[in-house]
């Protein structure tokens, strides 16, 4: 099991923490950002594969920003960080 700490870019959240067990993502948490929404995203994505998370969240934007915390999670789980 690998622990990942991903520094976000272009969002209110500063960092995403999760564990990778093969392709399965667990223990997702965010530093900063919209607390309630990010807790919900974390719960909904718990136990999904990186590919499943990316398929659902990649490209999601926040207001006029070209990215979002959800999009950053998709990028993070696909990275080999």
């Amino acid at each position: 099991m690998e622990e990942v700490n991903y520094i976000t870019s272009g969002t209110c959240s500063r960092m995403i923490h999760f564990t990778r067990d093969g392709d399965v993502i667990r223990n997702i948490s965010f530093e900063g950002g919209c607390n309630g929404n990010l807790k919900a995203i974390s719960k909904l994505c718990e136990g999904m594969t990186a590919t499943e998370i990316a398929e659902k969240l990649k490209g999601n934007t926040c207001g006029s920003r070209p990215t979002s915390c959800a999009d950053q999670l998709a990028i993070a789980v696909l990275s080999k960080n």
Side-chain angles (χ1 to χ4, degrees):
M1 193 171 298
E2 171 192 11
E3 291 187 27
V4 178
N5 300 302
Y6 182 84
I7 298 172
T8 60
S9 175
T11 61
C12 296
S13 65
R14 297 177 301 281
M15 186 172 288
I16 304 170
H17 307 280
F18 59 91
T19 55
R20 183 188 324 265
D21 186 5
D23 195 36
V24 176
I25 306 300
R26 300 191 187 284
N27 306 312
I28 304 165
S29 66
F30 291 78
E31 284 185 28
C34 302
N35 188 37
N37 289 333
L38 296 176
K39 283 181 184 175
I41 289 170
S42 298
K43 286 181 179 183
L44 291 170
C45 292
E46 178 70 21
M48 294 174 75
T49 66
T51 302
E52 290 170 331
I53 292 171
E55 285 174 353
K56 291 192 180 294
L57 302 179
K58 186 107 174 76
N60 188 58
T61 59
C62 183
S64 62
R65 296 176 182 169
T67 189
S68 67
C69 294
D71 183 54
Q72 290 291 295
L73 176 59
I75 293 167
V77 298
L78 291 177
S79 74
K80 299 301 175 193
N81 190 8

